[in-house]
Amino acid sequence: MPLPFLTADRAFDTQEDDVALPFDDHDQWRRPYRPGPWRVGAAALLLLLASFVLIAGVIIAFAGALPGAGACFVLGLAQIAAALRLLRMGVWVSRHGLRRVAFFATTTVPWGRTSELRTVQQPVRWLGLPRTVQGQALVAARPGREPLTLLTDHSADFLSRPEAFDRAADTVEAWGAEYRAG
């Protein structure tokens, strides 16, 4: 029994909530797409592992080994922070520019410093690992600087979801066309 109101796997044409509402604040940073299942699954596994580590820390604390318990609590909190950062990764847009959030670094580029946004065929990393495959990437060209790769179709957000990649790339390109010209 399918329950489409409980899932995000509805057809593109049936969703009216993907369009920005007229009262939405375009000064706020927003991700123009949903996080993909690989990213959400990895974060969920990290949080599950963190819960086991924190429970182990409580058991170790009751056993009386406080340094071991402290190490478990620090490890559990680090896993929770990593899961939250993993969920935050991606491309964010606002009226001020675009922001690419990676695990260890964040790059913000004002719309005025981008000459164009385009989708190109190039070798891309598979799930962010060192292995590269031929795929599509949304690239922000910046005058006098190396192009900034924003999205790829083999990332944790878009692996096996080419329609979602096309929609996200089109949305980011539309934001760029609107705010670069204005």
Side-chain angles (χ1 to χ4, degrees), residues 37 119 121 136 151-155 157-170:
T119 304
Q121 292 283 332
Q136 291 184 356
L151 303 171
T152 67
D153 63 344
H154 286 79
S155 70
D157 290 322
F158 304 111
L159 188 64
S160 300
R161 297 180 359 162
E163 305 88 20
F165 172 78
D166 292 338
R167 237 180 315 160
D170 290 343

Side-chain angles (χ1 to χ4, degrees), residues 30-56:
R30 68 183 71 225
R31 186 185 350 227
Y33 57 91
R34 292 185 183 104
W38 288 90
R39 184 174 310 284
V40 173
L45 284 175
L46 262 175
L47 290 174
L48 181 68
L49 184 61
S51 69
F52 289 137
V53 169
L54 290 174
I55 289 172

Side-chain angles (χ1 to χ4, degrees), residues 5-157:
F5 58 89
L6 295 178
T7 67
D9 296 333
R10 290 174 270 170
F12 176 64
D13 296 335
T14 62
Q15 294 180 3
E16 295 180 15
D17 61 343
D18 282 345
V19 179
L21 298 174
F23 54 84
D24 280 345
D25 186 9
H26 285 231
D27 290 329
Q28 296 288 329
W29 290 100
R30 68 183 71 225
R31 186 185 350 227
Y33 57 91
R34 292 185 183 104
W38 288 90
R39 184 174 310 284
V40 173
L45 284 175
L46 262 175
L47 290 174
L48 181 68
L49 184 61
S51 69
F52 289 137
V53 169
L54 290 174
I55 289 172
V58 169
I59 293 170
I60 292 171
F62 281 138
L66 294 182
C72 283
F73 287 131
V74 168
L75 179 63
L77 292 176
Q79 288 173 334
I80 292 170
L84 292 176
R85 185 64 180 188
L86 188 65
L87 288 173
R88 184 135 174 90
M89 288 172 55
V91 174
W92 297 74
V93 293
S94 79
R95 181 178 314 211
H96 307 292
L98 58 91
R99 180 175 286 172
R100 187 187 70 167
V101 178
F103 193 77
F104 291 113
T106 299
T107 306
T108 303
V109 180
W111 290 118
R113 292 193 184 167
T114 59
S115 58
E116 70 175 327
L117 293 168
R118 64 182 183 275
T119 304
V120 296
Q121 292 283 332
Q122 68 180 27
V124 296
R125 290 181 165 200
W126 183 76
L127 288 177
L129 299 172
R131 177 180 176 217
T132 59
V133 295
Q134 190 65 25
Q136 291 184 356
L138 177 66
V139 177
R142 302 178 291 174
R145 301 193 70 184
E146 185 176 319
L148 180 65
T149 302
L150 302 174
L151 303 171
T152 67
D153 63 344
H154 286 79
S155 70
D157 290 322

